[in-house]
């Protein structure tokens, strides 16, 4: 499975990240703009990501930036405030790739866990943006796990992860493979897209 990239791929039955902590900040859905690029259920996919551990100041900077994003600010508007508060380089790079991956109004919730990890849930429309975020987290030597659900009824769920000490990220299939060959091909294609360099 996607062996051409040299990464380990395994099947797994364990569930993905579950955002059920009472401390989770749930985002209020902003009204979606009426446009040709409006998301529909068939076009977007769900992402649940956790990364860290982070330094306390880093966690605070991330939360403040995500709150500003909820308020409708773009990365270009958030960036100057991060620089003025001397946010770490890791925070700046993480947000530089995380915020553009989340379309307006699609941030589902986030928190800093007791293990000092950022846990964030959102909907996205571009696999390439998720892949770029994963590459940057790996480059920053920041362990992460991302569970990506494209359409569980048609294509299954993928979990991409990287941890310190591993030279390659891994992508796992959660649950069973789709019963039809077209569904399996679609899932493997999505795995390859996540692994693409």
């Amino acid at each position: 499975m996607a062996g051409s990239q040299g990464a380990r791929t395994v099947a797994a039955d364990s569930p993905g990240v579950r955002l059920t902590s009472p401390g989770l900040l749930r985002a209020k859905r902003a009204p979606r703009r009426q446009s040709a690029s409006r998301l529909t259920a068939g076009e977007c996919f769900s992402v649940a990501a956790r990364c860290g551990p982070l330094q306390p100041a880093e966690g605070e900077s991330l939360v403040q930036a995500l709150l500003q994003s909820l308020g409708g600010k773009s990365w270009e508007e958030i960036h100057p405030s991060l620089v003025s508060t001397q946010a770490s380089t890791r925070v700046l790079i993480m947000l530089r790739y995380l915020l553009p991956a989340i379309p307006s109004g699609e941030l589902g919730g986030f928190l800093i866990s007791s293990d000092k990890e950022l846990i964030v849930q959102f909907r996205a429309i571009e696999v390439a943006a998720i892949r770029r975020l994963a590459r940057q987290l790996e480059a920053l030597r920041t362990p992460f796990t991302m569970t990506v659900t494209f359409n569980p009824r048609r294509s299954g769920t993928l979990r991409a992860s990287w941890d310190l000490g591993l030279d390659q990220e891994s992508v796992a299939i959660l649950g069973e493979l789709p019963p039809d060959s077209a569904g399996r091909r679609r899932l493997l294609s999505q795995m390859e897209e996540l692994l693409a360099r």
Side-chain angles (χ1 to χ4, degrees), residues 65 68-69 73-83 95 99:
Q68 289 180 56
S69 177
K73 290 191 176 181
S74 67
W75 163 245
E76 290 74 18
E77 295 170 304
I78 294 169
H79 181 255
S81 66
L82 291 169
V83 172
L95 288 167
L99 294 180

Side-chain angles (χ1 to χ4, degrees), residues 41-67:
E43 295 173 327
C44 53
F45 53 92
S46 300
V47 180
R50 64 188 309 146
C51 57
L54 305 164
Q55 296 297 321
E58 291 179 319
E60 184 176 327
S61 294
L62 286 164
V63 166
Q64 290 305 313
L66 288 169
L67 285 169

